[in-house]
């Protein structure tokens, strides 16, 4: 029954996550119609809406974790999932139950849809809003799927919008320049509602300032008055000195979390102005226990020692640049990289960023969007990188572990879907409970 339910959801219309461009369905008409069908559930709780190229998932989870520790009942909607569909929809960190999903889909199938043909993401967004209303959440942290202006989640009027940063991504949908992509992301800014921007320079900043001015929205750039004073790795955490929250020990140890922390703390300052009860102790607990509080996986995640095995969800050039910087801070003898990519990504630009002296194991996720290992090996060779090919990520990781010494480092990444198959194979997040 559960597998049939998931098949139904994914096959309503082609899902972008499985089909790529064929599954992209811009526009809000269907989402608005579905919302009306379910009596506009998103109007029954407060909303924080998050967009951006990189960091929006970590930002969403950190913010949700802090709000939970402040005593709020927090809904969290993110995508994609890594192991279990239910990761997308959580209340105070607990995944939506299988029984609720199956019942919701069963009841949906009986409704008179009047010719509506929702996509997977439109249907999932509606389910999340309906579930949050049923669970009486105080506030929901909602991550956009793709873009902003035409994203299915953009039917909401948030109390606060957050845009983390802008990089080149999904150009076939969002535009070929940073300015065009910024314009799409700026679509989540709402009339009279404040917005926090994590980082923006030049024309990107101009886009956000113009849109905020047009909509009479109070805008804050986290980079202008940084909350983060300094950060270092200590005792297995990222220890962050801040202006208003003392010393935070962040459970997420990637260096890129410094920028995300700056964004989150600026957002918390804004929420204080909106009369949210934000306590310093709760913020400390939120950062220290974000994985426990929200179930976040795949962000500079350590999977083993001797050799050290790390996976990360970076999947575009800007994200990979951060990974390369982070790797330079790690202590290892030789670097092994297990990599696989989606064919619709800018793989050539990513390959040109990767270190030439690492040992490479090319693989592919089991989805039609994947670049085949043969294509990846050929393209890598043109970029001066040689590597062996493996049909799946488990085989590639096994090969890397056999070849690596105890003092080496194995990095696994390139795609969220490579991570998903890796974590599934390793039984991470394999929670079959129905709570």
């Amino acid at each position: 029954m559960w597998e049939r339910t998931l098949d139904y959801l994914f096959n309503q219309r082609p899902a972008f996550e499985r089909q790529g461009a064929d599954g992209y369905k811009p526009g809000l008409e269907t989402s608005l119609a579905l919302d009306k069908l379910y009596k506009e559930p998103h109007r029954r709780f407060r909303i924080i809406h998050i967009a951006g190229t990189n960091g929006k998932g970590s930002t969403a989870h950190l913010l949700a974790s802090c709000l939970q520790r402040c005593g709020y009942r927090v809904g969290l909607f993110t995508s994609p999932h890594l192991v279990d569909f239910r990761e997308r929809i959580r209340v105070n960190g607990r995944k939506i139950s299988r029984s609720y999903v199956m019942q919701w889909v069963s009841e949906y199938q009986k409704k008179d849809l009047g010719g509506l043909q929702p996509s997977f993401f439109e249907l999932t967004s509606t389910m999340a809003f309906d579930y949050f209303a049923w669970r009486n959440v105080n506030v929901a942290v909602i991550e956009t799927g793709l873009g902003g202006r035409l994203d299915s989640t953009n039917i909401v009027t948030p109390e606060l919008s957050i845009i983390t940063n802008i990089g080149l991504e999904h150009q076939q949908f969002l535009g070929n320049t940073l300015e065009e992509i910024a314009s799409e992301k700026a679509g989540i800014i709402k009339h009279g509602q404040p917005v926090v921007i994590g980082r923006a320079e030049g024309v990107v900043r101009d886009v956000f300032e113009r849109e905020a001015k047009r909509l009479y929205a109070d805008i804050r750039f986290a980079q202008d008055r940084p909350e983060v004073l300094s950060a270092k790795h200590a005792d297995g955490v990222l220890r962050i000195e801040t202006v208003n929250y003392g010393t935070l020990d962040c459970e997420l140890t990637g260096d890129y979390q410094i920028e995300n922390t700056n964004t989150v703390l600026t957002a918390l300052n804004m929420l204080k102005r909106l009369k949210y009860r934000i306590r310093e102790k709760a913020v400390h607990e939120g950062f220290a226990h974000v994985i426990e509080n929200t179930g976040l996986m795949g962000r500079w995640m350590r999977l083993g020692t001797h050799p050290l095995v790390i996976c990360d969800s970076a999947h575009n050039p800007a994200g990979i640049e951060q990974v390369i910087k982070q790797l330079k801070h790690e202590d290892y003898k030789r670097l092994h990289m297990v990599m696989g990519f989606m064919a619709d990504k800018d793989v050539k630009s990513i390959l040109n960023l990767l270190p030439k002296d690492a040992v490479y194991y090319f693989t592919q996720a089991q989805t039609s969007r994947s670049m085949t290992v043969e294509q990846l090996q050929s393209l890598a060779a043109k970029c001066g990188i040689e590597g062996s090919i493996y049909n799946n990520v488990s085989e590639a990781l096994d090969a890397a572990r056999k070849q690596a010494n105890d003092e080496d480092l194995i990095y696994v990444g390139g795609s969220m879907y490579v991570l998903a198959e890796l974590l599934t194979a390793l039984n991470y997040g394999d929670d079959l409970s129905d709570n």
Side-chain angles (χ1 to χ4, degrees):
M1 179 64 176
W2 174 243
E3 293 301 328
R4 287 202 302 273
T5 299
L6 291 184
D7 286 342
Y8 178 84
L9 286 170
F10 272 108
N11 291 304
Q12 278 303 284
R13 285 175 61 98
F16 170 76
E17 294 166 12
R18 292 190 176 187
Q19 301 297 124
D22 291 340
Y24 179 54
K25 184 189 174 194
L28 302 179
E29 294 81 5
T30 302
S31 292
L32 288 166
L34 278 172
D35 189 52
K36 186 175 182 180
L37 185 67
Y38 281 88
K39 299 185 168 74
E40 300 180 323
H42 69 88
R43 298 189 184 279
R44 307 215 294 265
F45 45 85
R46 297 161 136 182
I47 290 174
I48 299 165
H49 202 192
I50 302 179
T53 297
N54 289 308
K56 62 181 184 289
S58 294
T59 297
H61 283 79
L62 283 167
L63 194 54
S65 181
C66 291
L67 290 171
Q68 284 173 225
R69 291 290 178 146
C70 286
Y72 291 97
R73 182 187 290 266
V74 182
L76 179 61
F77 179 61
T78 58
S79 61
H81 65 273
L82 289 174
V83 177
D84 181 354
F85 167 84
R86 298 182 299 139
E87 295 167 29
R88 296 168 180 263
I89 304 172
R90 296 178 182 267
V91 172
N92 279 7
R94 303 194 74 170
K95 292 181 287 192
I96 187 172
S97 68
R98 289 187 176 197
S99 58
Y100 184 94
V101 175
M102 290 187 289
Q103 181 180 346
W104 193 91
V105 169
S106 176
E107 292 176 356
Y108 165 80
Q109 290 172 314
K110 299 172 186 175
K111 290 183 180 292
D112 180 6
L113 301 177
L116 283 180
Q117 291 185 303
S119 68
F120 165 79
F121 193 73
E122 287 166 339
L123 206 54
T124 303
S125 303
T126 302
M127 182 193 301
F129 297 156
D130 202 34
Y131 181 66
F132 294 156
W134 179 71
R135 288 293 308 273
N136 294 313
V137 303
N138 305 122
V139 57
V141 179
I142 307 295
E143 179 190 350
T144 60
L146 193 158
R149 181 176 65 93
L150 299 177
D151 187 77
S152 301
T153 63
N154 203 32
I155 62 173
V156 304
T157 301
E159 290 193 325
L160 175 66
S161 299
I162 300 172
I163 303 173
T164 56
N165 51 56
I166 298 298
L168 292 174
E169 62 160 350
H170 303 300
Q171 287 99 310
Q172 67 270 48
F173 310 125
L174 305 181
N176 292 313
T177 67
L178 292 176
E179 185 174 11
E180 290 173 334
I181 294 171
S183 295
E184 288 298 313
K185 306 281 188 183
I188 72 166
I189 301 174
K190 297 300 192 299
H191 188 277
Q193 303 301 112
V195 56
V196 167
I197 309 296
R199 173 175 49 82
E201 291 91 18
V203 294
V204 170
R205 184 177 178 122
D206 293 342
V207 167
F208 293 144
E209 288 179 332
R210 282 198 306 269
E211 188 67 1
K213 183 178 181 180
R214 185 181 74 83
L215 294 171
Y216 301 94
D218 185 6
I219 187 168
R220 291 287 184 272
F221 292 87
Q223 71 204 60
D224 288 356
R225 298 176 65 180
E227 269 288 341
V228 174
L229 297 172
S230 63
K232 64 180 180 180
H233 294 274
D235 303 322
V237 300
L238 187 62
R239 187 154 292 156
I240 305 170
E241 301 295 335
T242 73
V243 174
N244 290 302
Y245 297 91
T247 303
L248 299 177
D249 283 348
C250 185
E251 194 174 19
L252 307 179
T253 59
D255 285 350
Y256 52 80
Q257 299 299 351
I258 299 170
E259 181 177 309
N260 294 333
T261 295
N262 211 39
T263 304
V264 170
L265 296 182
T266 303
L268 289 172
N269 292 340
M270 186 68 79
L271 292 176
K272 285 182 182 178
R273 296 177 57 192
L274 296 173
K275 308 303 182 187
Y276 279 71
R277 303 181 307 277
I278 306 299
R279 297 178 289 106
E280 182 178 324
K281 181 181 178 182
V283 174
H284 281 251
E285 293 169 346
F287 273 80
H289 304 288
V290 59
I291 295 173
E292 174 191 341
N293 291 342
T294 68
L296 179 63
M297 295 188 293
R299 271 64 170 189
W300 205 255
M301 185 175 178
R302 296 188 175 225
L303 302 176
T305 57
H306 309 299
L308 178 61
V309 180
I310 292 174
C311 70
D312 191 82
S313 58
H315 57 275
N316 54 41
I320 294 295
E321 281 184 352
Q322 292 296 319
V323 165
I324 301 306
K325 289 179 183 177
Q326 179 84 31
L327 285 169
K328 291 177 181 177
H329 296 312
E330 296 289 343
D331 184 21
Y332 58 85
K333 188 173 181 180
R334 194 172 192 188
L335 177 62
H336 303 255
M337 301 196 78
V338 177
M339 305 295 287
F341 302 95
M342 296 296 102
D344 54 5
K345 297 295 183 181
D346 186 4
V347 179
K348 184 177 180 180
S349 293
I350 293 173
L351 289 169
N352 283 325
L353 294 170
L354 298 179
K356 301 294 190 293
D357 58 348
V359 183
Y360 285 89
Y361 309 78
F362 297 129
T363 187
Q364 65 186 75
Q366 306 307 300
T367 169
S368 59
R369 284 182 60 203
S370 286
M371 175 174 283
T372 68
V373 287
E374 292 82 10
Q375 290 171 325
L376 178 53
Q377 186 182 48
S378 175
L379 183 58
K382 294 176 183 176
C383 298
I385 294 175
E386 301 295 329
S388 303
I389 60 176
Y390 301 87
N391 290 324
N392 60 66
V393 66
S394 293
E395 290 181 6
L397 179 58
D398 286 345
R401 278 180 161 152
K402 288 176 182 176
Q403 192 165 342
N405 294 321
D406 285 354
E407 300 81 16
D408 291 353
L409 187 153
I410 301 172
Y411 174 85
V412 185
S415 166
M416 294 285 277
Y417 303 98
V418 167
L419 258 63
E421 293 183 11
L422 171 67
L423 295 175
T424 299
L426 297 177
N427 293 319
Y428 279 85
D430 188 18
D431 174 16
L432 299 179
S433 67
D434 195 36
N435 295 320

